Amino acid sequence: MASIEARISALAAEVRRRQFASEGPVDPLSQSLFDFETELLNLGKLSKTVFLAELNREDEGGEGLDLEPSDLEAWISAVCEGKKVLW
């Protein structure tokens, strides 16, 4: 079921991308955000775990985001619903 939802989400993202592209040229930042959105929507369970660990990892001069799995799922759901939380 999750793979069907991911495919539908990816198709919806592609429709939004094409609608936006038809309005004018896509700048590199917007294109990278579209690409990131597509990757986010296609994350599997293991990939989500790895991505969440990376977001929460502290590195030199920076703190992790301290996100919970439910935060990531809410973020992905918002992207699926077209709320454009990324840009």
Side-chain angles (χ1 to χ4, degrees):
M1 189 68 165
S3 64
I4 292 171
E5 291 173 357
R7 291 186 68 190
I8 290 171
S9 297
L11 288 171
E14 182 65 23
V15 167
R16 287 194 308 272
R17 185 176 304 110
R18 288 183 185 202
Q19 286 173 335
F20 185 73
S22 69
E23 294 174 3
V26 177
D27 62 278
L29 176 60
S30 294
Q31 185 61 51
S32 68
L33 290 172
F34 285 137
D35 294 343
F36 179 65
E37 181 180 88
T38 300
E39 288 180 36
L40 186 65
L41 294 174
N42 290 315
L43 289 175
K45 186 175 180 177
L46 179 60
S47 298
K48 287 178 185 177
T49 302
V50 171
F51 182 59
L52 190 60
E54 185 66 24
L55 291 173
N56 288 332
R57 184 174 59 100
E58 295 181 18
D59 58 6
E60 292 181 26
E63 297 179 15
L65 297 178
D66 196 30
L67 297 173
E68 297 293 325
S70 59
D71 298 324
L72 180 59
E73 291 299 333
W75 191 25
I76 292 171
S77 293
V79 170
C80 287
E81 294 170 9
K83 293 183 181 174
K84 296 184 180 181
V85 282
L86 297 177
W87 43 273

